[in-house]
Amino acid sequence: MEKKYVAWPDKSSHDVSLWAEVEREILSMKATDKSADTAGGHVNMDMKYLGNTDDPLPVRPPLCRDLLVTLALGQVLSLLICAISLTSKYLTDKFHANTPVFQSFLNYILLFLVYTTTLAVRQGEGNLLAILKQRWWKYMILGLIDIEANYLVLKAYQYTTLSSVQLLDCFVIPVVLLLSWFFLLVRYKAVHYVGAGLCLLGVGCMVGADILLGRQQGFGEQKLFGDLLVLGGATLYGISNVCEEFIVKNLSRVEFLGMMGLFGSFFSGIQLAIMEHKELLRVPWDWQIGLLYISFSAFMFGLYSFMPLVIKRTSATSVNLSLLTADLYSFFCGLFLFHYKFSALYLLSFFIIILGLVLYATSSTYVAQDPRVYKQFRNAGGQQATDRPPLSAGVLEPSVTYTSLGPEAGDEIPVRVT
């Protein structure tokens, strides 16, 4: 008997049209296949076998509540980025403590103490030694990428302005979009591109306000060098974020953070001993500098610990779009701390970015069928199933998938909606 599957939207999905289409497909399948057995069995995290005609229809998640939670989580990350930027700027400008590697090293040590030790005491396949035997070299490369991303961006604070660092850092968005498309097989709708474009337009408004107020002048060649450092760091951040999304959605958050703590502390310690030991000795240590280093480490540790939770709920692209509002939070803090001049363009920028975030979050992305694994899902005659009921107009085909299973009946369906 042919089994029928339907792509079950993730509980955090906000696409109401997708849920409506799933309901229509369930009714159609129940009407045409009265002999199907009960199942309710979980084939994939986003797929369910439809059988018993008495099973209730899926309950749509409350759109407004989930949307607000998604926006709030992103803004918590944005506030942490703002706090990291301000403490780093204070260390660089006021106390002349130019130690980006040491600042990252403190964060990796905290990750090691909390998450790597957690992996060390685990039993079974999630144990630290078991993970290292299977994929140590992958985490080593990812650790180096993460270290250098932090180093380049923190180093840039010595050469360019705070707003320039956070504005150019938005280059991470096209990097994440491209990497998600090619490596995670994420497919976006037009509304996602419009939402991302609005967010970047909001950043453009802030750039215009900075230029009008003269906040971007007076750095010469050093400013250009600092801007290049930010672009390089943003590219590495994009690679790191996409890898993080894959790991936390397919493996575990603790594994990712534990491996970052292990390899991050090891390599950043070596880099610190080679590049910054003299600079560290020149730091005029007192309680204020000590408090700034402790604050920076606490904010970085909070960001690293909380970001995987948000990425698992949403995506790397959504998270990086949310972080664009850190520019505005830094400016609002700068009104009091650095006596910045105010412009209405900053408020306009904030509302445009929020509008773009809302637009992006109201529709779900989906993961495309991987042609390398699709060929295994064939019927007994070796032909792909063709008796698929037509989907309604305007609905993306990957949202509902039917297939005939032959000998590999226990395999998972490689299409899911995120």
Side-chain angles (χ1 to χ4, degrees):
M1 182 185 69
E2 179 188 55
K3 292 183 181 179
K4 298 181 180 180
Y5 291 82
V6 60
W8 207 261
D10 186 82
K11 63 182 180 181
S12 61
S13 172
H14 307 302
D15 193 342
V16 176
S17 63
L18 179 59
W19 284 90
E21 180 61 27
V22 168
E23 290 183 2
R24 288 195 295 272
E25 292 302 326
I26 292 172
L27 292 174
S28 173
M29 291 169 67
K30 289 181 177 180
T32 58
D33 190 4
K34 300 291 187 181
S35 62
D37 295 327
T38 182
H42 200 56
V43 178
N44 196 331
M45 69 184 243
D46 298 323
M47 312 288 289
K48 285 191 177 179
Y49 170 59
L50 302 178
N52 193 342
T53 56
D54 297 325
D55 291 343
L57 293 177
V59 179
R60 299 178 189 172
L63 176 63
C64 292
R65 186 192 66 188
D66 281 354
L67 181 59
L68 289 175
V69 170
T70 299
L71 290 175
L73 292 175
Q75 296 316 295
V76 171
L77 294 177
S78 192
L79 288 170
L80 287 171
I81 290 285
C82 173
I84 290 168
S85 301
L86 290 173
T87 52
S88 182
K89 194 66 175 175
Y90 261 114
L91 284 168
T92 302
D93 290 353
K94 187 174 181 179
F95 298 99
H96 306 289
N98 301 318
T99 57
V101 178
F102 178 64
Q103 291 168 234
S104 295
F105 177 71
L106 294 176
N107 171 56
Y108 290 123
I109 287 296
L110 289 176
L111 293 176
F112 178 86
L113 294 175
V114 175
Y115 296 105
T116 308
T117 53
T118 301
L119 292 178
V121 299
R122 276 185 173 180
Q123 303 295 324
E125 294 183 357
N127 181 267
L128 178 63
L129 293 178
I131 294 171
L132 289 174
K133 287 179 181 178
Q134 295 178 17
R135 40 189 176 267
W136 65 269
W137 63 273
K138 297 178 182 179
Y139 283 116
M140 182 183 70
I141 295 174
L142 183 57
L144 286 171
I145 290 173
D146 195 67
I147 290 169
E148 298 311 315
N150 287 328
Y151 174 76
L152 291 177
V153 173
L154 291 175
K155 191 71 175 177
Y157 285 104
Q158 302 175 24
Y159 302 100
T160 188
T161 62
L162 174 63
S163 56
S164 289
V165 170
Q166 295 194 334
L167 291 173
L168 292 175
D169 200 38
C170 70
F171 182 68
V172 70
I173 293 171
V175 174
V176 170
L177 284 170
L178 288 174
L179 292 178
S180 297
W181 178 281
F182 287 108
F183 295 103
L184 300 183
L185 301 178
V186 176
R187 295 298 177 259
Y188 302 96
K189 304 173 186 176
V191 67
H192 296 119
Y193 294 111
V194 173
L198 279 175
C199 290
L200 296 178
L201 178 62
V203 174
C205 287
M206 186 173 182
V207 173
D210 286 337
I211 293 174
L212 290 175
L213 296 177
R215 289 179 56 203
Q216 300 295 311
Q217 299 175 1
F219 281 83
E221 294 182 0
Q222 284 194 332
K223 180 181 182 300
L224 176 60
F225 179 66
D227 292 347
L228 292 176
L229 290 178
V230 178
L231 291 175
T235 302
L236 295 179
Y237 269 135
I239 297 172
S240 177
N241 287 165
V242 172
C243 293
E244 181 178 353
E245 178 178 353
F246 177 83
I247 293 169
V248 300
K249 289 186 176 180
N250 294 277
L251 297 172
S252 80
R253 164 181 170 267
V254 175
E255 178 176 330
F256 170 77
L257 294 174
M259 292 297 101
M260 288 300 98
L262 177 63
F263 289 105
S265 57
F266 177 75
F267 288 113
S268 62
I270 294 175
Q271 190 172 357
L272 172 63
I274 295 173
M275 300 178 60
E276 279 190 4
H277 64 282
K278 294 182 179 179
E279 188 67 38
L280 198 58
L281 293 174
R282 287 195 292 265
V283 173
W285 293 97
D286 61 20
W287 69 271
Q288 290 179 311
I289 291 181
L291 183 60
L292 284 172
Y293 274 118
I294 293 173
S295 299
F296 180 90
S297 302
F299 291 137
M300 280 288 284
F301 179 77
L303 178 68
Y304 268 70
S305 299
F306 191 53
M307 183 177 282
L309 297 174
V310 185
I311 286 181
K312 187 171 184 178
R313 179 185 174 88
T314 57
S315 67
T317 305
S318 178
V319 165
N320 280 283
L321 289 173
S322 298
L323 296 183
L324 292 179
T325 53
D327 303 342
L328 281 305
Y329 297 137
S330 296
F331 167 75
F332 296 142
C333 292
L335 289 174
F336 303 98
L337 299 176
F338 307 122
H339 306 291
Y340 289 161
K341 297 179 182 178
F342 178 76
S343 171
L345 284 177
Y346 291 112
L347 288 178
L348 178 63
S349 171
F350 181 80
F351 288 120
I352 291 177
I353 292 174
I354 293 298
L355 177 61
L357 289 173
V358 171
L359 196 61
Y360 185 94
T362 51
S363 185
S364 298
T365 59
Y366 66 93
V367 177
Q369 184 82 46
D370 189 341
R372 294 170 296 181
V373 296
Y374 182 68
K375 61 184 179 182
Q376 66 179 308
F377 295 97
R378 297 176 184 274
N379 58 20
Q383 300 296 322
Q384 297 180 8
T386 57
D387 53 340
R388 297 168 58 180
L391 301 177
S392 21
V395 177
L396 291 169
E397 185 170 307
S399 63
V400 177
T401 300
Y402 303 83
T403 183
S404 295
L405 298 180
E408 301 89 8
D411 292 342
E412 293 183 349
I413 306 300
V415 172
R416 60 187 177 87
V417 178
T418 59

